[in-house]
Amino acid sequence: MNAFTLLKADHKKVAGILEKLDSTTERGVKTREELFTQLKTELDVHARIEETIFYPALAEVDETRDITLEAFEEHRLVKQLLSELESMPKDDEQWTAKFTVLKENVEHHVEEEEGEMFPKARKVLGEEGAETLGTRMEKAKNEQLKAASAR
């Protein structure tokens, strides 16, 4: 599987969950909790494969180094927001506000990845490199999702 195809599919899936979550209200606690759990799992697994497989390959090359370092920082911020949201009551107005900030950060990150990073990464990796990384990422993702569902 191509790395870019895999990551874009993840981005699309996360965008769908974000939209569903965004339309919930403080009254829909159960729905919110279920969707948030799904979102957190998807983002955790996605971030892990990017940080351990995709980004290291890009951080080694001058053309993609800066944008990769920025992406690591954006992940750090998203993880912090996810952690804070996880521990807050889902019927709290503060939760709603913090979720909006998370959604905006994720959307910005995806835009930057697909618009800036991916075109540079395609040049750096080439078709064969993108396939090799994608295969590794798909395998790691499936293992992590299996482990997450066993919990």
Side-chain angles (χ1 to χ4, degrees), residues 35-50:
L35 286 169
F36 180 75
T37 299
Q38 191 182 353
L39 176 69
K40 186 170 183 324
T41 300
E42 288 296 326
L43 286 173
D44 285 346
V45 170
H46 179 81
R48 200 168 302 128
I49 64 171
E50 279 188 333

Side-chain angles (χ1 to χ4, degrees), residues 1-146:
M1 160 153 313
N2 182 292
F4 304 107
T5 305
L6 176 80
L7 295 175
K8 281 183 175 182
D10 281 0
H11 291 167
K12 191 173 180 178
K13 185 172 188 179
V14 164
I17 300 169
L18 285 169
E19 287 308 313
K20 285 181 193 168
L21 246 173
D22 199 27
S23 67
T24 64
T25 63
E26 282 85 8
R27 290 191 311 249
V29 174
K30 189 170 174 15
T31 302
R32 224 178 225 192
E33 285 173 351
E34 288 169 4
L35 286 169
F36 180 75
T37 299
Q38 191 182 353
L39 176 69
K40 186 170 183 324
T41 300
E42 288 296 326
L43 286 173
D44 285 346
V45 170
H46 179 81
R48 200 168 302 128
I49 64 171
E50 279 188 333
E51 291 172 5
T52 58
I53 300 169
F54 189 64
Y55 291 171
L58 301 179
E60 297 170 4
V61 183
D62 286 344
E63 294 159 75
T64 48
R65 183 166 174 69
D66 287 347
I67 198 164
T68 303
L69 294 175
E70 185 181 331
F72 272 116
E73 284 305 310
E74 289 172 349
H75 277 202
R76 189 185 58 73
L77 182 59
V78 166
K79 287 177 193 174
Q80 180 183 335
L81 289 166
L82 282 169
S83 174
E84 291 171 12
L85 283 163
E86 187 174 39
S87 63
M88 292 173 74
K90 306 299 181 273
D91 60 354
D92 189 322
E93 287 178 338
Q94 289 299 117
W95 192 94
T96 306
K98 195 173 290 275
F99 170 75
T100 300
V101 173
L102 171 76
K103 183 175 182 279
E104 289 169 356
N105 273 275
V106 170
E107 288 169 348
H108 165 81
H109 178 73
V110 167
E111 254 177 56
E112 217 164 63
E113 269 191 356
E114 292 187 6
E116 267 184 78
M117 179 188 274
F118 288 5
K120 290 177 181 178
R122 279 183 207 283
K123 289 179 188 157
V124 167
L125 297 172
E127 196 57 41
E128 196 176 314
E131 289 293 328
T132 303
L133 278 184
T135 301
R136 284 179 53 210
M137 289 162 55
E138 186 177 32
K139 184 175 185 273
K141 179 181 175 181
N142 289 337
E143 289 168 3
Q144 289 173 34
L145 287 172
K146 200 180 294 174

